[in-house]
Amino acid sequence: MLTDEELLRYSRQVLLAQVDVAGQLKLKASRVLVVGLGGLGSPVALYLAAAGVGELHLADFDRVDLTNLQRQVLHDTTTVGLLKVDSAVARLQAINPDIALVRHSQALDADSLGNVVAAVDLVLDCSDNFTTREAVNAACFAAGKPLVSGAAIRLEGQLSVFDPRQAHSPCYHCLYGQGSEAELSCSEAGVLGPVVGLVGSLQALETLKILAGFGEPLVGRLLLIDAASARFRELRLKRDPHCPVCQVRLG
């Protein structure tokens, strides 16, 4: 049940017919893994904590740097030099002390990543490199857990949902194969803060839709964002029948 304080805290979203008390209870019972606490992970973690997702697993082995603060709004000047997971926990506890926060401050190898993914209901890939995205995708499909994947660089962003519970869903590997042409990091190519904020906010929205069970998640669709022209495009994605990552599970 929701306490009186929880009903008051979440009253504005409980008022929505798509959420209601039943949806809020689903959020409260949910466990979510956020991989990466940078530009994308910042709005993701902030909005999911504020929305009352019951247990957030926070994975990042990096430390807060001054160059992060232009876009990584989860952190601030006073936390420069701290582990990002520690900076994040302090901020999220201040926003919502009622949720559980689990730190993962060590780099996750294949085994540990698999264990962490198996322990949650949904995973958000907020990382900034292809190797991590491929590993997270493989772990999610092996464990049968939905993956909300986002990326942003320069003035461009993209977003999709890969859900191994749905037979028609492609996976990240179906889309990019052995690598993406856009493997530059933000430190090499640059990025505008609101662009990662936009993509991360949309990732949080897709997560709430999936967990509370409303709307139409971006499964089988890739949302492309051109911030310079304020244009959004949507591409349909099909599962690769020869994909080595998802064909074993989906058949």
Side-chain angles (χ1 to χ4, degrees), residues 133-234:
R133 291 170 184 153
E134 274 281 270
V136 171
N137 176 70
C140 286
F141 270 75
K145 302 300 172 69
L147 169 63
V148 181
S149 178
I153 198 165
R154 302 187 184 96
L155 293 169
E156 301 169 356
Q158 64 181 44
L159 174 73
S160 190
V161 174
F162 307 110
D163 193 343
R165 301 171 304 175
Q166 300 188 31
H168 71 280
S169 175
C171 75
Y172 184 85
H173 192 84
C174 291
L175 178 60
Y176 286 114
Q178 296 301 319
S180 165
E181 63 88 20
E183 290 192 48
L184 289 175
S185 68
C186 293
S187 62
E188 297 168 306
V191 67
L192 204 59
V195 177
V196 289
L198 175 60
V199 176
S201 295
L202 288 171
Q203 285 184 270
L205 175 59
E206 290 299 301
T207 299
L208 296 177
K209 287 161 56 179
I210 295 168
L211 296 177
F214 67 90
E216 182 184 355
L218 274 168
V219 178
R221 296 180 289 151
L222 177 67
L223 184 66
L224 300 175
I225 302 167
D226 181 349
S229 63
R231 286 188 170 89
F232 291 71
R233 288 194 301 141
E234 182 182 294

Side-chain angles (χ1 to χ4, degrees), residues 2 21 28 42 53 75 79 84 98 104 111 114 143 153 166 177 203 222 236:
L2 297 175
V21 172
K28 183 177 180 178
S42 288
V53 172
H75 315 292
T79 65
K84 287 186 178 179
D98 296 330
H104 299 282
D111 290 336
I153 198 165
Q166 300 188 31
Q203 285 184 270
L222 177 67
R236 292 285 177 177

Side-chain angles (χ1 to χ4, degrees), residues 82-142:
L82 295 182
L83 286 168
K84 287 186 178 179
V85 289
D86 293 338
S87 171
V89 165
R91 179 76 182 279
L92 299 176
Q93 282 180 334
I95 290 173
N96 192 347
D98 296 330
I99 64 172
L101 299 169
V102 181
R103 294 173 170 89
H104 299 282
S105 58
Q106 303 295 321
L108 299 174
D109 58 22
D111 290 336
S112 57
L113 179 59
N115 292 334
V116 173
V117 169
V120 299
D121 303 305
L122 180 147
V123 178
L124 290 116
D125 186 351
C126 302
S127 64
D128 61 357
N129 65 88
F130 179 76
T131 301
T132 300
R133 291 170 184 153
E134 274 281 270
V136 171
N137 176 70
C140 286
F141 270 75

Side-chain angles (χ1 to χ4, degrees), residues 17-53:
Q18 295 90 337
V19 180
D20 207 345
V21 172
Q24 191 63 51
L25 286 170
K26 291 178 181 177
L27 296 181
K28 183 177 180 178
S30 296
R31 301 160 298 168
V32 169
L33 169 63
V34 182
V35 180
L37 298 171
L40 298 174
S42 288
V44 161
L46 290 167
Y47 276 120
L48 296 185
V53 172

